[in-house]
């Protein structure tokens, strides 16, 4: 089966839902017709079937393997996206009267803090908001040990910054890894909980992967409806309600693909892709990088602005002509954002760089 026989696939730099490998799309398309000898479409497969349980178990094993974690960590798949996790984290771990620390390094980080304020006291430990988040804030040198947890965003999708390393804290560390999960070698064991929406590096929109250390589950004191209680979701093994069966299957396909590439190779490619694009921007007269501090730049999302509205329009239209899509910046930054998630190839980035060079040469 060939996807869109006549139409050429676009080079897709969207921020999310984002590019997926063609091989994964082919496999997903096949499963929509018939799944693994069941005589059913994956869209018809019951969430309580043996086949779906096998999908869940393989996902869990692959996540633990890719993260280098053991059975001390539970892996679950939830609905409601990143924002649901902005809510569930404080619902489960922040009690009235207690405080949680938040690092404000971007819009998603700030939204997570805003949601937490419904449940307890939020302490902003560091922020780069006043400079438009064009660099990371200073990681706090001391962290109050009475905080219930510290929450931060590993990669700031809208501004294009990424934390390279963060110092440990005595309080549980919680990470939103939505836009850089599985993009590099990483020490996941320093987190008590981390989560990632699927629509960037692990599949289709509508699923969020949550990984929680067991001692964290044991620390929950709040009484919650089961859907919003991590303990109940873990106990029911991600089938408390009718799961997003298809979405979780697409995540499995992405996890298998990620393993087959290898995290080392993925990391190396991601670094090359970003270096290539940043190099073109740095040499350009027409565009300039949004993130001022090179050490803070994210290989996942490269943000830049044009020196004039004409240059901005020229790049957009030349990209459109060349089958390149998804480069418009987030409405809060403007300009351009090129997302270079794992599925984006070096060759695709080369094509964008060619387009930028062509504009430069026009003079
Ligand atoms: C995309 C993204 C989100 C938003 O997720 P929704 O599923 O749209 O709520 C949250 N955090 C980060 C870091 C993201 O990149």
């Amino acid at each position: 089966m060939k996807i869109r026989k006549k139409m050429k696939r676009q080079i897709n730099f969207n921020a999310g839902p984002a590019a997926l490998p063609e091989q994964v799309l082919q496999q997903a398309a096949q499963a929509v017709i018939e799944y693994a000898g069941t005589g059913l479409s994956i869209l018809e497969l019951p969430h309580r079937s043996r086949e779906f349980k096998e999908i869940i178990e393989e996902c869990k094993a692959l996540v633990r393997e890719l993260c280098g974690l053991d059975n001390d960590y539970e892996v679950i798949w939830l609905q409601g996206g990143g924002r649901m996790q902005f809510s569930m984290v404080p619902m489960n771990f922040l009690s009235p009267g207690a405080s949680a620390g938040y690092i404000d390094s971007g819009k998603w980080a700030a939204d997570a803090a805003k949601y937490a304020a419904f449940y307890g006291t939020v302490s902003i430990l560091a922020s780069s908001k006043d400079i438009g988040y064009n660099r990371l804030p200073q990681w706090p040198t001391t962290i109050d040990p009475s905080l219930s947890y510290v929450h931060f965003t590993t990669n700031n999708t809208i501004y294009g910054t990424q934390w390279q390393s963060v110092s440990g804290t005595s309080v549980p560390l919680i990470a939103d890894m939505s836009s850089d999960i599985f993009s590099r070698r990483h020490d996941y064991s320093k987190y008590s909980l981390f989560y990632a929406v699927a629509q960037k590096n692990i599949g289709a929109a509508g699923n969020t992967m949550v990984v929680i250390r067991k001692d964290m589950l044991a620390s929950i004191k709040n009484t919650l409806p089961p859907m919003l209680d991590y303990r109940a979701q873990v106990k029911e093994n991600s089938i408390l309600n009718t799961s997003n069966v298809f979405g979780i299957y697409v995540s499995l396909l992405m996890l298998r693909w990620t393993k087959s590439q290898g995290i080392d190779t993925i990391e190396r490619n991601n670094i090359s892709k970003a270096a290539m694009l940043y190099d073109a921007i740095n040499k350009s007269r027409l565009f300039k990088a949004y993130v001022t501090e090179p050490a803070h730049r994210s290989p996942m999302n490269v943000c830049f602005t044009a020196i004039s509205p004409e240059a901005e329009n020229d790049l957009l239209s030349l990209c459109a002509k060349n089958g390149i899509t998804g480069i418009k910046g987030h409405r809060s930054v403007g300009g351009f954002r090129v997302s270079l998630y794992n599925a984006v190839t070096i060759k695709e980035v080369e094509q964008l760089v060619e387009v930028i060079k062509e504009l430069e040469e026009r003079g």
Side-chain angles (χ1 to χ4, degrees):
M1 189 174 8
K2 196 94 189 105
I3 299 167
R4 285 198 284 173
K5 275 194 191 101
K6 291 197 197 75
M7 189 167 334
K8 194 169 173 288
R9 269 176 66 70
Q10 294 272 311
I11 295 178
N12 182 6
F13 294 118
N14 270 304
L20 291 171
E22 190 157 354
Q23 169 198 336
V24 166
L25 299 177
Q26 299 279 6
Q27 291 167 335
Q30 179 55 51
V32 168
I33 306 300
E34 197 273 335
Y35 179 68
T38 56
L40 294 176
S41 160
I42 189 84
L43 303 178
E44 302 169 314
L45 189 72
H47 62 298
R48 298 188 191 280
S49 62
R50 176 179 56 78
E51 288 81 5
F52 186 59
K53 187 172 190 327
E54 285 168 4
I55 290 172
I56 292 270
E57 292 306 324
E58 189 181 341
C59 279
K60 284 161 64 171
L62 280 170
V63 169
R64 288 192 182 111
E65 184 181 340
L66 290 168
C67 296
L69 298 173
D70 57 21
N71 292 338
D72 277 355
Y73 283 81
E74 298 284 1
V75 182
I76 51 176
W77 302 86
L78 303 179
Q79 296 171 51
R83 289 167 178 83
M84 186 61 96
Q85 295 315 301
F86 298 170
S87 319
M88 280 180 73
V89 164
M91 277 184 192
N92 282 261
F93 303 115
L94 185 55
S95 303
S99 299
Y102 278 75
I103 310 289
D104 176 23
S105 55
K107 183 190 176 308
W108 299 123
D111 277 0
K114 215 187 288 172
Y115 280 45
F118 284 92
Y119 304 98
T121 304
V122 168
S123 170
I124 302 294
L125 306 180
S127 175
S128 52
K129 185 176 181 190
D130 59 347
I131 48 169
Y133 299 116
N134 68 359
R135 50 179 294 149
L136 295 167
Q138 189 71 43
W139 189 265
T141 42
T142 56
I143 287 175
D144 178 355
S146 74
L147 292 173
S148 299
Y149 59 84
V150 170
H151 179 282
F152 83 112
T153 310
T154 49
N155 185 76
N156 299 286
T157 325
I158 293 173
Y159 308 91
T161 59
Q162 183 189 50
W163 292 97
Q164 293 310 318
S165 66
V166 300
S167 49
T169 90
S170 62
V171 307
L173 191 56
I174 295 182
D176 175 358
M177 304 196 68
S178 291
S179 53
D180 67 348
I181 189 97
F182 305 138
S183 68
R184 54 175 170 168
R185 282 164 296 164
H186 196 75
D187 176 12
Y188 293 88
S189 71
K190 62 177 173 247
Y191 305 127
S192 297
L193 183 155
F194 58 95
Y195 58 91
V197 300
Q199 66 265 29
K200 280 119 191 194
N201 269 335
I202 37 175
N207 267 315
T208 305
M209 179 190 92
V210 183
V211 182
I212 319 173
R213 214 170 55 211
K214 284 178 178 158
D215 62 346
M216 205 53 187
L217 285 173
S219 77
I220 301 170
K221 291 182 203 75
N222 299 345
T223 307
L224 295 160
M227 271 304 280
L228 303 170
D229 187 326
Y230 288 122
R231 292 166 301 189
Q233 294 283 4
V234 164
K235 184 157 169 273
E236 299 299 328
N237 203 14
S238 305
I239 56 166
L240 192 157
N241 74 319
T242 310
S243 320
N244 179 348
V245 172
F246 179 61
I248 294 175
Y249 179 62
V250 176
S251 287
L252 174 60
L253 296 174
M254 267 311 278
L255 290 166
R256 285 179 184 158
W257 178 87
T258 303
K259 183 182 166 179
S260 75
Q261 302 289 303
I263 297 287
D264 286 3
T265 305
I266 286 176
E267 179 177 39
R268 203 168 337 108
N269 288 346
N270 286 340
I271 290 170
S272 305
K273 289 178 323 195
M276 217 189 307
L277 183 52
Y278 266 116
D279 187 50
I281 297 164
N282 293 343
K283 287 184 179 142
S284 147
R285 298 169 293 113
L286 302 173
F287 306 106
K288 91 176 186 297
Y290 183 73
V291 179
T292 49
E293 174 60 54
H296 294 185
R297 288 176 182 164
S298 158
M300 292 282 94
N301 313 95
V302 176
C303 298
F304 55 100
T305 52
I307 55 157
S308 67
E310 290 73 32
E312 182 165 332
N313 285 332
D314 287 349
L315 183 57
L316 284 173
S317 60
L318 199 54
C319 279
K321 249 191 233 149
N322 283 277
I324 295 173
T325 192
I327 61 165
K328 230 175 148 39
H330 188 271
R331 56 193 179 277
S332 58
V333 179
F336 300 94
R337 168 176 52 177
V338 176
S339 295
L340 305 175
Y341 299 123
N342 295 348
V344 172
T345 64
I346 290 181
K347 201 160 148 252
E348 289 173 321
V349 183
E350 281 168 357
Q351 279 169 272
L352 174 60
V353 166
E354 281 308 309
V355 167
I356 293 175
K357 283 189 183 151
E358 192 181 321
L359 263 193
E360 291 293 326
E361 283 159 16
R362 276 185 194 176

